[in-house]
Amino acid sequence: MRVPVRAIAHSRSGDKGNTCNITVIAYEQDFYEVLKEQVTEEALKAHYAGVITGKVTRYAVDRLGVLNFVCEGALGGGVSRSLCLDNYGKSLASRILSLEVEVPERFANRLRRGQAA
Amino acid sequence: MTLRIGSGSAWWGDRISPAEANAARGDIDYLCFETMAEATISTAQVRKRRDPDFPGYDTYLDDRFRAVLPHCLKRGTKIVSNQGWINPLGAARHVKAIARELGYPDLKVAAVSGSLITDKMDQLTGTVIETGGSLDEIRGEIVSAEAYMGADPIVEALAAGADVVITGRVADPSLFLAPMMYEFGWTREQAELIARGSGIGHLMECGAQVTGGYFVDPGYKDVPDPWDLAFPIAEVESNGDCVITKLDGTGGAVNRRTVLEQMFYEVHDPANYITPDSVVDFTTSDVEELGNDRVRVRNIGGRDRTPTLKVSVAVKEGFVGEDMFFYAGPGCLEKAKLAERVLRERFKIVNLQAEELRIDFLGVNAIHGAASPAIDYEPNEVAVRVAVRAKTRAEAEKAGREVDGMAVSGLGSTGKRVPHGERVREVIGVWSMLVDRDLVRPQIDFA
């Protein structure tokens, strides 16, 4: 079954100069294998086409179920030079949650769904 | 012995009441304030030239210290803070004056300066990290050069008896590491402990970002009472194990997810996170939920510091002008698209000399830009935002002036902000270099 990353992971982004890092964290260790296989550097870059203009490097931290993507050329030249409304790129991490991934049916009842808060 | 270190702020504009709560109820040994962003020093330098009365330190210094100092004096909580910006000694004197008013004339307040090395510009002969070239190739007027200092001068000030230490630019994690090094007697030979302490400092430096701030995704990732977040408290052991927690009775949460999000925040290679004190390895960490908003973090790894310090060189590069206007109701998106055409034609007519021009539709594509999905519905509202980067203030002002023109000469039902705030800001670009540690000489003065 196909689900958005949001069903199996959460994310946060941070800035350093013109580079943004986007961290994708599995809600459960099982989910991490799906992320590691399908949320590749290429997949992330394609999902941010036109926004991330430079190289994307992925660091996989198996022990913690975390993928950290370092995205160069993602902040419009850097915080001060940027014409982006969100010049720190604080909102960039949410975009990855809409990427669709294929997960095994057995995950069905463990997937995150929007529950009323 | 368990050392209790509380966060007092994560940036200049941060809330003050959670710092006061930590000071009053946190039973903390140290309260640490982080108040600087990348451009804080350069912006302060520019402001100081324009306004000689600007004292050059955190503009909320007085508010913050009046809120926390009475509690800290009562409990014996020491304070480490980077609120000194370009005038640490001035900030220290101000704190000393508040302490005197409160009946503590003997409070020892130290200032750590030496991070500003603008006068050593001729010695910055290395490579600019972002360009691979030399500093000579950088266009624009250099405003300042500042080094990121580590924990050592803070430790030295504490050893000299300081109750409060106010610094200029110090790397954020170092503010929290310094109390650990001083209280536990960690030496430079114990590089792994220092790396662990730097890692804990990184978890703490962004305050509420580890207690449920910058975190909530409603229905997916919630925290209780998100209007009442606490700033974190670290309970650190002498072997570098720690528990990250927060005050009882506050909103937010400390759990595995909040801790992991913060652990990787602004981190590139997680096995080599470089601070002035250490090279930290987060990939060996164990993160364990203990319940009741307590998370134990153990086995952060790492090794000794590098031989260099990072220097930020700030350069005046030009100006950015921006403003926006609005449409709502039927046809609003079509109006926004035509308004974009109008603006682009107007910019030709007024001969705009822009280095970059950007027009966004808020509600459609302003945040995720070109990666935004196409919309197949008519929104009820759209704001058109225009931003221009130019070499001169006069060119940058054209963005706002053309938005003014949209008021009576634009399309039907154009909404505008009148009066508007400042629409032009100066661009201060920041370039990074590495320098020998010897070039940076920290100085400690008591107020």
Side-chain angles (χ1 to χ4, degrees):
Chain A
M1 59 193 292
R2 291 191 75 74
V3 300
V5 167
R6 194 180 183 197
I8 59 171
H10 52 111
S11 65
R12 176 175 291 191
S13 49
D15 67 284
K16 277 271 186 285
N18 195 24
T19 300
C20 173
N21 82 299
I22 296 171
T23 309
V24 180
I25 304 170
Y27 279 114
E28 298 181 26
Q29 196 63 27
D30 274 2
F31 299 167
Y32 174 65
E33 299 310 319
V34 170
L35 295 173
K36 196 175 175 185
E37 188 190 308
Q38 298 179 48
V39 188
T40 58
E41 291 168 352
E42 296 74 25
L44 182 127
K45 190 161 178 179
H47 203 59
Y48 286 83
V51 174
I52 295 170
T53 58
K55 191 175 152 215
V56 173
T57 307
R58 187 182 87 169
Y59 297 94
V61 186
D62 296 351
R63 188 184 182 89
L64 298 170
V66 170
L67 298 177
N68 190 39
F69 295 87
V70 178
C71 311
E72 297 172 24
L75 295 173
V79 166
S80 179
R81 294 174 198 113
S82 174
L83 295 188
C84 303
L85 187 63
D86 178 24
N87 58 333
Y88 282 86
K90 295 275 183 187
S91 313
L92 280 178
S94 59
R95 167 102 188 120
I96 196 62
L97 301 181
S98 65
L99 180 73
E100 285 206 342
V101 289
E102 183 71 31
V103 300
E105 293 291 339
R106 63 189 164 84
F107 288 176
N109 59 5
R110 287 191 280 149
L111 298 173
R112 294 259 158 176
R113 295 184 174 82
Q115 309 291 338
Chain B
M1 162 196 175
T2 302
L3 184 64
R4 293 175 62 83
I5 304 176
S7 153
S9 62
W11 72 293
W12 163 74
D14 217 340
R15 292 178 188 155
I16 293 176
S17 57
E20 186 175 359
N22 268 353
R25 297 198 286 122
D27 190 26
I28 49 178
D29 302 301
Y30 284 83
L31 179 62
C32 299
F33 290 91
E34 199 292 287
T35 62
M36 286 201 218
E38 208 171 47
T40 301
I41 293 286
S42 46
T43 309
Q45 293 272 78
V46 170
R47 181 168 167 193
K48 181 76 189 170
R49 279 183 214 165
R50 204 178 53 220
D51 170 15
D53 293 335
F54 171 54
Y57 46 79
D58 177 15
T59 53
Y60 293 122
L61 180 86
D62 193 74
D63 296 336
R64 291 201 156 102
F65 269 87
R66 285 187 192 279
V68 305
L69 200 53
H71 304 292
C72 292
L73 291 168
K74 197 166 150 197
R75 161 66 173 73
T77 301
K78 295 182 184 180
I79 297 175
V80 177
S81 167
N82 68 2
Q83 285 164 286
W85 296 7
I86 60 172
N87 185 10
L89 186 56
R93 285 179 178 141
H94 190 116
V95 171
K96 181 86 180 169
I98 297 173
R100 210 174 282 126
E101 261 181 55
L102 293 171
Y104 290 81
D106 299 329
L107 191 76
K108 294 192 76 175
V109 185
V112 173
S113 46
S115 55
L116 262 180
I117 56 167
T118 314
D119 57 339
K120 295 178 182 170
M121 200 67 73
D122 57 328
Q123 293 174 63
L124 299 180
T125 52
T127 305
V128 176
I129 293 172
E130 292 85 353
T131 64
S134 80
L135 203 52
D136 301 336
E137 296 162 17
I138 300 291
R139 185 181 61 80
E141 178 198 339
I142 291 177
V143 178
S144 63
E146 46 161 333
Y148 284 70
M149 300 192 296
D152 287 347
I154 304 174
V155 174
E156 204 180 312
L158 292 171
D163 302 300
V164 177
V165 183
I166 311 264
T167 73
R169 178 69 80 182
V170 166
D172 301 349
S174 311
L175 299 165
F176 295 85
L177 169 66
M180 301 177 214
M181 288 177 66
Y182 172 63
E183 296 289 341
F184 297 135
W186 293 347
T187 65
R188 281 286 159 200
E189 285 65 47
Q190 294 167 296
E192 193 171 23
L193 286 177
I194 291 180
R196 203 165 281 167
S198 299
I200 296 167
H202 172 68
L203 293 175
M204 295 291 290
E205 65 171 277
C206 294
Q209 284 195 186
V210 76
T211 55
Y214 194 37
F215 177 79
V216 170
D217 185 359
Y220 287 77
K221 233 182 2 163
D222 288 292
V223 302
D225 297 353
W227 46 85
D228 185 29
L229 298 192
F231 292 165
I233 293 171
E235 301 171 354
V236 189
E237 307 298 330
S238 59
N239 65 357
D241 285 356
C242 86
V243 171
I244 305 291
T245 187
K246 68 181 184 70
L247 283 177
D248 286 342
T250 57
V254 182
N255 56 39
R256 182 182 169 86
R257 298 187 293 280
T258 66
V259 169
L260 285 180
E261 284 198 15
Q262 180 54 30
M263 183 176 280
F264 292 89
Y265 178 72
E266 292 183 343
V267 168
H268 291 176
D269 177 355
N272 292 286
Y273 179 69
I274 299 171
T275 80
D277 301 296
S278 312
V279 179
V280 184
D281 181 357
F282 288 111
T283 66
T284 57
S285 310
D286 290 308
V287 177
E288 181 193 356
E289 286 188 359
L290 304 177
N292 295 323
D293 294 309
R294 296 174 62 78
V295 172
R296 181 181 286 149
V297 180
R298 283 187 291 196
N299 297 320
I300 295 173
R303 24 182 227 286
D304 200 7
R305 60 190 182 181
T306 65
T308 52
L309 291 176
K310 187 174 102 166
V311 168
S312 285
V313 180
V315 180
K316 285 188 176 187
E317 291 184 349
F319 297 86
V320 166
E322 64 175 314
D323 200 359
M324 62 173 80
F325 51 95
F326 326 102
Y327 298 104
C332 62
L333 186 55
E334 287 311 308
K335 282 181 184 167
K337 288 176 182 168
L338 180 55
E340 173 173 359
R341 172 88 199 279
V342 169
L343 285 169
R344 289 188 187 278
E345 293 297 332
R346 288 294 312 167
F347 286 138
K348 283 184 209 161
I349 292 168
V350 299
N351 192 27
L352 173 70
Q353 300 296 306
E355 295 187 317
E356 191 184 353
L357 165 65
R358 179 174 169 135
I359 298 178
D360 296 310
F361 298 161
L362 268 75
V364 179
N365 64 7
I367 311 295
H368 289 161
S372 307
I375 61 169
D376 53 4
Y377 59 91
E378 171 81 16
N380 188 57
E381 298 177 357
V382 183
V384 180
R385 172 181 172 268
V386 191
V388 167
R389 192 176 65 246
K391 285 196 178 70
T392 66
R393 181 176 285 275
E395 289 301 314
E397 277 171 351
K398 287 180 180 175
R401 292 295 292 131
E402 287 309 316
V403 169
D404 288 341
M406 297 302 286
V408 298
S409 308
L411 312 179
S413 304
T414 299
K416 246 187 69 51
R417 296 185 297 181
V418 181
H420 49 71
E422 178 64 58
R423 296 188 294 190
V424 176
R425 64 176 167 86
E426 187 157 20
V427 177
I428 298 177
V430 177
W431 303 97
S432 315
M433 303 178 78
L434 298 176
V435 300
D436 277 350
R437 287 175 181 272
D438 295 345
L439 192 65
V440 183
R441 296 286 162 85
Q443 188 183 328
I444 298 165
D445 299 287
F446 279 84

